């Protein structure tokens, strides 16, 4: 079954409002004819201005994190409805940097995913093993646990627009990309876990992105793999020229 590619930039803690709006101005016409979905996960402050700038384009603006509560005394946190009001249409959840530096566990990530789905903002759930996990042959165990615990209580009926991003932690920001064979094989495994949890129909339809040092030089061979349906890109999504090349990898 043909799944539409999503090329998603994750800007992390980069770009002021001025830089973000200049970026979307620079790419809008360059990516306008792409058949691929074009996503940018921007800092909270840039969501409103970037989504206003891209209102009549195919560029979709989203956030990099959210809390699962509707509101409350949670200093520094942000709620789904606040993101949606600002113009975010998707949200990255459980990125390895959130897991590692802000102690997010699968239970918290699961609450966020459920909130995102019920609030109608598309979640991109990130999973991935560390180098230690891979060297100890724990990759599949870790991924199965991350996926099943992060998606607990959901059903094929309400999993809706969920996207998965497989990002080996050892490949993020390191310049080391998984070989296409390793990436494809691990995507197949993630899809098989989705099948175990939600059945074959969801497994065939769900979009699974690859992330970890994706760049214009390697995007084409990664996207040529059967089970890789797009990319979640950090470093190479910070420059307009490079991001445009990623989006237009098939042109
Ligand atoms: P990278 O980051 O492309 O810089 O490796 C990917 C990510 O963290 O999503």
């Amino acid at each position: 079954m043909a799944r539409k590619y999503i090329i998603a930039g994750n800007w992390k803690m980069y770009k002021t409002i001025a830089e973000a709006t200049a970026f979307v101005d620079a790419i809008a016409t360059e990516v306008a004819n792409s058949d691929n979905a074009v996503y940018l996960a921007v800092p909270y402050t840039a969501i409103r201005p970037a989504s206003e700038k891209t209102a009549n384009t195919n560029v979709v603006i989203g956030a990099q994190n959210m809390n699962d509560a509707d509101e409350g005394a949670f200093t520094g946190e942000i709620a789904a409805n606040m993101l949606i009001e600002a113009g975010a249409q998707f949200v990255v959840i459980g990125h390895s940097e959130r897991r590692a530096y802000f102690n997010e566990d699968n239970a918290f990530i699961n609450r966020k995913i459920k909130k995102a789905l019920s609030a109608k903002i598309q979640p991109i759930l990130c999973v991935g093993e560390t180098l230690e996990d891979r060297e100890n042959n724990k990759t599949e165990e870790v991924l199965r646990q991350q996926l099943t615990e992060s998606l607990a209580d959901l059903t094929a009926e309400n999993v809706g627009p969920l996207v998965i991003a497989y990002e080996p932690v050892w490949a993020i920001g390191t310049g080391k990309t998984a070989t296409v064979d390793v990436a494809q094989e691990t995507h197949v495994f993630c899809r098989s876990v989705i099948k175990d949890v939600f059945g074959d129909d969801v497994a065939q339809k769900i979009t699974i992105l690859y992330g970890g040092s994706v760049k214009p030089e390697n995007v084409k061979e990664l996207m040529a793999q059967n089970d890789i349906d797009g990319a979640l890109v950090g470093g190479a999504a910070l420059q307009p020229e490079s991001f445009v090349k990623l989006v237009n990898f098939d042109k």
Side-chain angles (χ1 to χ4, degrees):
M1 174 190 307
R3 294 175 292 262
K4 185 173 172 154
Y5 289 105
I6 299 176
I7 304 298
N10 168 21
W11 283 352
K12 311 191 180 187
M13 202 171 73
Y14 291 97
K15 296 198 189 294
T16 62
I17 293 172
E19 290 164 346
T21 50
F23 183 107
V24 294
D25 275 345
I27 65 154
T29 53
E30 305 281 340
V31 300
N33 297 320
S34 177
D35 295 329
N36 308 322
V38 185
Y39 282 28
L40 285 172
V42 307
Y44 298 134
T45 46
I47 292 173
R48 166 76 82 184
S51 61
E52 282 176 356
K53 279 259 176 201
T54 52
N56 298 313
T57 74
N58 59 337
V59 179
V60 179
I61 301 296
Q64 302 170 17
N65 180 33
M66 59 170 243
N67 193 273
D68 65 303
D70 287 328
E71 59 184 5
F74 301 110
T75 302
E77 290 295 279
I78 197 153
N81 66 336
M82 299 170 185
L83 297 178
I84 293 166
E85 184 191 46
Q89 297 180 55
F90 74 94
V91 56
V92 176
I93 292 180
H95 189 279
S96 66
E97 288 151 17
R98 303 289 324 164
R99 293 174 188 262
Y101 306 143
F102 303 98
N103 300 318
E104 292 194 8
D105 61 12
N106 291 329
F108 187 28
I109 290 164
N110 176 238
R111 295 199 301 275
K112 296 181 191 216
I113 297 278
K114 288 190 277 193
K115 173 54 70 179
L117 288 169
S118 67
K120 299 207 174 345
I121 179 167
Q122 180 178 34
I124 299 182
L125 167 65
C126 301
V127 296
E129 81 287 0
T130 63
L131 187 58
E132 197 187 349
D133 296 331
R134 186 159 283 274
E135 286 175 348
N136 292 322
N137 285 324
K138 290 259 163 62
T139 299
E140 295 196 346
E141 188 184 316
V142 166
L143 291 173
R144 181 177 291 279
Q145 186 171 12
Q146 287 178 344
L147 286 166
T148 52
E149 292 184 5
S150 304
L151 298 173
D153 310 323
L154 294 168
T155 65
E157 285 66 46
N158 64 14
V159 78
L162 172 78
V163 169
I164 308 287
Y166 165 62
E167 301 200 296
V169 177
W170 48 270
I172 295 177
T174 59
K176 286 186 201 150
T177 324
T179 63
V180 288
D181 292 343
V182 166
Q184 163 63 14
E185 172 188 298
T186 316
H187 278 235
V188 168
F189 176 75
C190 291
R191 205 177 292 286
S192 77
V193 176
I194 296 297
K195 182 177 171 183
D196 294 343
V197 178
F198 299 115
D200 195 42
D201 193 41
V202 172
Q204 290 310 314
K205 283 188 188 138
I206 200 160
T207 299
I208 307 183
L209 310 180
Y210 173 78
S213 299
V214 177
K215 32 189 188 281
E217 297 75 38
N218 61 20
V219 64
K220 212 168 171 167
E221 56 172 359
L222 285 162
M223 295 308 115
Q225 305 305 307
N226 262 346
D227 287 275
I228 301 183
D229 309 320
L232 182 58
V233 188
L238 289 171
Q239 300 304 328
E241 307 73 41
S242 155
F243 185 68
V244 166
K245 282 187 193 153
L246 293 169
V247 171
N248 292 335
F249 75 88
D250 46 359
K251 289 259 182 294

